[in-house]
């Protein structure tokens, strides 16, 4: 951020009075421009015992496989965002179930919220952000080609819970130190 | 948003190619400025059977009572944000427990995430954004003076669960139509 979106004056990083963190503050009009984490909403979709994955047609992680997920938009709920992403990426009309996982991706300033889901009707397809969509049996899942650590976490917890006949909510923090991911799990509930 | 934070050129609301929603787009440098919902993190703090509430010293809802809560910051987890708000608003060092509620506040473009918590040590006080902090027994809670609908929801579910000896996660959407709140609950889990 270099300029004020309100008056086009230059902004500078300073700690406003009474605050405790540096913010982009406009010297001309005084507007404080806050930046906050964003929510990525998605779902693990099961159909006839298999899991629906999409091969990414966009960066980052072009060509890798993911569960449908994307940025939550203003005016929608987290649940609506998760269902919308299933429609956009896999042309899938889903019925959302319980909340599966919440992952704080600290360096990316993102919170990834994933729900359980099933196909509301058996048809699905390939959205503009996908190269391919496919139902995978548990033993077929291409683990080395899963796009994101948070997606792998959600998928593994989903399958584990399914095996144990339960539906828990799982928590993880993902940070990066010396170029390596550092993962810390909270108690599942 | 009137100007581009990257180049100070004027922005206009248009639907970018391949997108489905209007965004603030800069005609000069082409930057698309996305706006997304923000997370409000907080906690219901119990100590010796009573609930810690703070009387707000800031707008909105100056003088009304609330559980500690506020905007999640970049670089922290939702859990860290909830604990930090308890420290800032009530000078309370808390031990976070399970997740209590997730409320989509649609018109405000906010998601309110509330945890259960207890005081890690019995001291608490009055932060700069509070006029007063107090422990309330269940029957003393000043319901008509609770600041926000999402806080009332979290408090009522907390107390109900406590009575029933359980700790569920509760979901609500709050929208506004014709000046009145319209509330829709999802299944608790
Ligand atoms: Zn300005
Ligand atoms: Zn620009």
């Amino acid at each position: 951020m270099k300029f004020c979106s309100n008056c086009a004056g230059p902004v500078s990083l300073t700690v406003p009075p009474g605050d405790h963190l540096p913010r982009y503050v406009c010297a001309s009009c005084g507007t404080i421009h806050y930046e906050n984490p964003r929510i990525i909403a998605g779902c693990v979709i099961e159909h006839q015992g298999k899991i629906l994955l999409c091969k990414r047609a966009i960066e980052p992680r072009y060509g890798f496989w993911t569960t449908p997920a994307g940025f939550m938009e203003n005016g929608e709920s987290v649940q609506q965002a998760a269902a919308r992403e299933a429609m956009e990426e896999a042309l899938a009309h889903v019925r959302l179930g319980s909340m599966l996982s919440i992952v704080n991706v600290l360096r990316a300033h993102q919170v990834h919220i994933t729900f359980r889901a099933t196909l509301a009707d058996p048809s699905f397809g390939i959205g503009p952000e996908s190269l391919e969509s496919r139902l995978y049996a548990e033993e077929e899942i291409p683990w080395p080609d899963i796009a994101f650590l948070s997606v792998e976490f959600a998928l593994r917890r989903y399958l584990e819970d399914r095996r144990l006949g339960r539906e828990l909510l799982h928590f993880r923090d993902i940070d990066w130190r010396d170029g390596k991911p550092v993962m810390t799990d909270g108690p599942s509930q």
Side-chain angles (χ1 to χ4, degrees), chain A:
Chain A
M1 190 181 301
K2 297 179 209 151
F3 301 99
C4 175
S5 57
N6 183 50
C7 79
V11 295
S12 59
L13 265 182
T14 51
V15 180
D19 204 339
H20 61 289
L21 286 176
R23 315 282 181 184
Y24 289 103
V25 180
C26 175
S28 313
C29 77
T31 301
I32 302 168
H33 300 278
Y34 295 95
E35 295 187 305
N36 301 86
R38 297 198 288 173
I39 293 174
I40 304 275
C43 47
V44 171
I45 306 165
E46 180 176 323
H47 182 64
Q48 297 180 333
K50 298 184 171 185
I51 307 295
L52 183 59
L53 297 180
C54 301
K55 196 173 190 174
R56 288 173 63 82
I58 51 171
E59 293 293 351
R61 306 296 273 161
Y62 179 100
F64 285 76
W65 291 87
T66 187
T67 49
F71 286 108
M72 181 182 171
E73 303 275 9
N74 284 351
E76 67 184 359
S77 67
V78 187
Q79 292 85 345
Q80 287 171 329
R84 176 182 51 71
E85 291 292 340
M87 179 52 75
E88 288 181 14
E89 297 185 8
L91 312 184
H93 179 209
V94 297
R95 196 174 290 119
L96 279 200
S98 56
M99 193 173 269
L100 166 61
S101 61
I102 299 186
V103 179
N104 295 293
V105 187
L106 296 163
R107 292 294 167 88
H109 307 153
Q110 292 174 354
V111 180
H112 295 204
I113 301 181
T114 306
F115 292 85
R116 292 176 181 84
T118 53
L119 286 184
D121 59 74
S123 74
F124 63 92
I126 303 169
E129 296 181 0
S130 304
L131 297 168
E132 200 181 334
S133 295
R134 229 197 94 176
L135 287 168
Y136 281 99
E138 176 167 359
E139 62 277 10
E140 300 168 332
I141 289 175
W143 293 110
D145 295 329
I146 294 298
F148 303 106
L149 290 171
S150 63
V151 171
E152 180 178 344
F153 175 68
L155 276 174
R156 290 200 187 274
R157 290 299 164 276
Y158 181 91
L159 295 166
E160 189 176 278
D161 278 3
R162 187 174 72 167
R163 240 176 281 131
L164 296 166
R166 66 186 190 191
E167 294 190 7
L168 298 183
L169 171 59
H170 305 278
F171 298 93
R172 173 166 283 187
D173 292 353
I174 301 179
D175 205 353
W176 291 81
R177 279 177 220 139
D178 306 323
K180 281 180 199 150
V182 178
M183 298 189 267
T184 314
D185 291 354
S188 302
Q189 82 182 64

